[in-house]
Amino acid sequence: MPRTMPDTSNISFLDRVRAILSDLPASERRLAQFTLDFSGDLSSYNASELASLAQVSNATVTRLIRRLEYANYEAARKQIRTERTDDSFTSVHQPLSPGEAALHSHLQESYSKLGNTYRHLSHSVLQEASQAISRARQVWLVGLQANYFLAGHFYWHLSKLMPGVRLIPGAGQTVSDYLADIQHQDVVIVFDLHPRPSQMPELIGRLETRCADIVLITDQDYKERPKSRWSLPCQPGPEALPDNSVAVASLSHLLLSEILKVRGADRRDESEQELATADALF
């Protein structure tokens, strides 16, 4: 028997979900996990759109919202929007201890990387890349050395949204082993950030001979950047370890969010076409 929450007046939406996640029935757990994975985008969708994206029924959305002790879905959306606003960065005015100063300096560096990344980001390029990824026959995620982790994180989320997603290279293999399988209808997403292997320009050139639709996520200078169809820049960091991946993590989340919107719109269009066909037939 799923437990209910004793007092939710001061509990965030995500904490409410986490508190009851393990006790939920299968369909509600699928929806709850979806809200945790894409919490920043929930306020953009109504209940029916959320149900379609999570592949559950509208009744499942209603049941979960009631179990979380909201009056309705709009009340939950309102709290999510409020929590996103309250999470904004505020300046520090009071004197800081050495430890606090170190934390603040690291935070400022992260905000600087994020700001510079988003200032150089083209929304039209982001939209075009999202549409191509959403409608591709196959999507290939490529990352070498440290970039393999970044590509793997993106793969894990993208594979939850759509079929036909591959992470390469596999253990004991090279990207060249997959070239024959990559077709013109595919999209290749390449993570090419510092530290990068020296053979990356040659590898990207070989990928371009198989597929023109390449999304390049890179921190390279504009003059050095390969002329891929869609280039998404990340603020470069100092060539030192450990790397600060805050910019590429945020950019990855943004791209996944745009793909989610495209797939939601495509599903609505498909539903409208099916209804129109049914009306014409019957």
Side-chain angles (χ1 to χ4, degrees):
M1 182 78 178
R3 60 176 179 268
T4 57
M5 307 193 58
D7 179 14
T8 59
S9 57
N10 296 314
I11 302 178
S12 72
F13 174 84
L14 295 183
D15 285 341
R16 295 189 196 204
V17 173
R18 294 187 186 104
I20 63 173
L21 180 64
S22 60
D23 293 328
L24 293 173
S27 60
E28 291 180 48
R29 190 183 308 118
R30 185 188 311 123
L31 173 60
Q33 188 61 58
F34 184 88
T35 66
L36 293 175
D37 292 338
F38 296 96
S39 58
D41 305 295
L42 293 180
S43 60
S44 302
Y45 305 107
N46 60 37
S48 296
E49 291 169 336
L50 177 62
S52 174
L53 291 169
Q55 299 182 351
V56 299
S57 66
N58 286 1
T60 299
V61 176
T62 300
R63 286 196 299 271
L64 179 61
I65 291 299
R66 288 176 178 171
R67 203 184 299 277
L68 295 172
E69 298 195 357
Y70 290 102
N72 49 48
Y73 181 70
E74 289 305 312
R77 290 177 74 184
K78 182 178 179 180
Q79 182 176 5
I80 293 167
R81 284 193 292 266
T82 301
E83 289 168 355
R84 291 187 66 185
T85 302
D86 291 343
D87 197 34
S88 59
F89 174 69
T90 55
S91 301
V92 177
H93 300 288
Q94 68 275 17
L96 301 176
S97 68
E100 291 171 334
L103 293 176
H104 184 66
S105 175
H106 187 82
L107 182 61
Q108 292 280 29
E109 178 190 353
S110 296
Y111 270 89
S112 175
K113 290 179 182 295
L114 287 170
N116 287 328
T117 295
Y118 279 76
R119 274 193 291 273
H120 291 94
L121 190 61
S122 167
H123 187 252
S124 61
V125 170
L126 182 68
Q127 285 186 315
E128 290 175 11
S130 302
Q131 291 168 359
I133 293 168
S134 301
R135 297 157 188 171
R137 181 196 72 95
Q138 183 93 26
V139 179
W140 304 84
L141 274 300
V142 179
L144 301 182
Q145 297 182 3
N147 288 279
Y148 191 79
F149 164 76
L150 300 173
H153 181 264
F154 193 94
Y155 161 78
W156 189 91
H157 285 288
L158 185 61
S159 63
K160 304 294 182 184
L161 300 181
M162 57 185 289
V165 183
R166 297 278 302 276
L167 174 64
I168 60 175
Q173 295 180 309
T174 67
V175 175
S176 298
D177 296 327
Y178 300 87
L179 286 177
D181 297 326
I182 299 176
Q183 299 183 19
H184 184 70
Q185 308 97 309
D186 299 349
V187 171
V188 181
I189 305 175
V190 180
F191 283 79
D192 180 29
L193 299 110
H194 172 81
R196 62 176 54 83
S198 59
Q199 68 267 32
M200 277 306 296
E202 179 185 354
L203 174 59
I204 293 174
R206 297 186 67 185
L207 288 170
E208 288 175 336
T209 64
R210 301 294 306 175
C211 174
D213 289 348
I214 294 180
V215 179
L216 184 66
I217 299 176
T218 182
D219 57 6
Q220 285 181 288
D221 183 82
Y222 282 100
K223 296 178 182 179
E224 300 175 357
R225 189 175 303 154
K227 294 179 175 61
S228 300
R229 175 159 294 182
W230 300 293
S231 185
L232 301 177
C234 281
Q235 164 68 12
E239 295 187 1
L241 295 175
D243 299 304
N244 186 341
S245 301
V246 62
V248 66
S250 180
L251 179 58
S252 294
H253 181 269
L254 176 62
L255 181 56
L256 286 164
S257 300
E258 290 296 320
I259 294 168
L260 187 62
K261 291 178 183 177
V262 173
R263 290 190 63 79
D266 286 348
R267 285 176 182 166
R268 288 194 296 273
D269 291 342
E270 289 172 3
S271 297
E272 290 174 0
Q273 290 174 2
E274 289 171 0
L275 287 172
T277 302
D279 288 342
L281 288 173
F282 300 105

